[in-house]
Amino acid sequence: MSLRNILNWSDPALSGLIFGSGLVFLLSLSHFSLLSVVAYFALTLLLFGVVCKLYVHLMGTLKKPCTDPLAKIETIDLAISGENVDSMLSSIVEALNTSVVQLKGLCLVQNYVDSAKFAAALYIATFIGAIFNTLTLLTVTWVGMFVVPTVYEKNQTKVDEVLGQVKTQYEAINQKVAAMMPAKATTTEKKE
């Protein structure tokens, strides 16, 4: 099952399990240390596995039909291939290099408008950081990851219409601000 299907609640039982366990994990971190939370989660998983196996053996002893609740999990291949690691690392390195180049351009004010937007975003981030701690932001992001795709899917036409209006207004404001900024020297003039 892909991440998209999980976030769109295609299989509500699996999505609910992942959403609920992630939410409980994040909320537990606000009260207990990371080591305690990880240990309790691992202990809970172990006890769940033992209870499932006892259930299957008990039903077998009683000669009642049942299916193993862990059968799907037993078939999952958890081996990590070298090809997967290579492709993942290459994409991470590529994204990191792209981000570093963009950050360098923003900090060296190669484009006044983009640097001003970056400064405004950082200024807004200081207020968000003063209001929320990181764990709260992670919890809100976790809940948002499961809620936003479903809300968007159910109201796609209305959301697309509003986002289109916001985009046209943003582009109009962006063009006005860019017109007020001094012209940037072209790259050929810089090389000479």
Side-chain angles (χ1 to χ4, degrees):
M1 177 151 291
S2 69
L3 180 64
R4 182 182 184 101
N5 290 339
I6 291 170
L7 295 179
N8 284 332
W9 296 81
S10 297
D11 182 5
L14 180 63
S15 294
L17 178 68
I18 292 172
F19 172 71
S21 61
L23 187 61
V24 167
F25 180 79
L26 290 171
L27 292 176
S28 298
L29 283 176
S30 65
H31 296 290
F32 305 107
S33 69
L34 177 64
L35 181 61
S36 295
V37 172
V38 169
Y40 280 124
F41 262 80
L43 186 60
T44 303
L45 287 174
L46 179 65
L47 289 176
F48 178 73
V50 169
V51 168
C52 286
K53 290 297 179 183
L54 286 174
Y55 169 76
V56 169
H57 287 298
L58 180 64
M59 289 296 133
T61 304
L62 297 175
K63 307 230 190 281
K64 294 191 177 192
C66 76
T67 58
D68 188 2
L70 301 176
K72 285 184 180 178
I73 297 173
E74 287 177 357
T75 60
I76 295 174
D77 182 25
L78 297 176
I80 300 172
S81 69
E83 297 166 353
N84 289 345
V85 172
D86 288 340
S87 66
M88 187 180 291
L89 283 177
S90 65
S91 63
I92 289 172
V93 168
E94 183 180 328
L96 186 63
N97 286 335
T98 303
S99 300
V100 167
V101 168
Q102 288 178 344
L103 187 60
K104 179 178 130 185
L106 291 170
C107 290
L108 296 177
V109 192
Q110 293 176 348
N111 184 335
Y112 292 108
V113 175
D114 288 343
S115 293
K117 290 180 202 174
F118 182 60
L122 290 177
Y123 188 68
I124 291 169
T126 61
F127 287 111
I128 293 172
I131 296 170
F132 302 109
N133 66 15
T134 305
L135 192 55
T136 304
L137 291 175
L138 284 174
T139 305
V140 168
T141 302
W142 183 258
V143 172
M145 282 174 40
F146 283 88
V147 172
V148 170
T150 305
V151 171
Y152 176 74
E153 191 174 279
K154 292 185 191 258
N155 302 308
Q156 187 171 2
T157 55
K158 294 176 187 175
V159 171
D160 286 344
E161 181 182 318
V162 170
L163 288 177
Q165 293 172 354
V166 169
K167 184 178 178 183
T168 55
Q169 289 176 355
Y170 169 77
E171 289 173 350
I173 292 171
N174 194 26
Q175 288 175 354
K176 289 178 184 177
V177 171
M180 294 186 327
M181 294 290 178
K184 180 183 161 193
T186 62
T187 55
T188 55
E189 293 174 356
K190 285 184 178 180
K191 289 181 181 177
E192 294 175 2

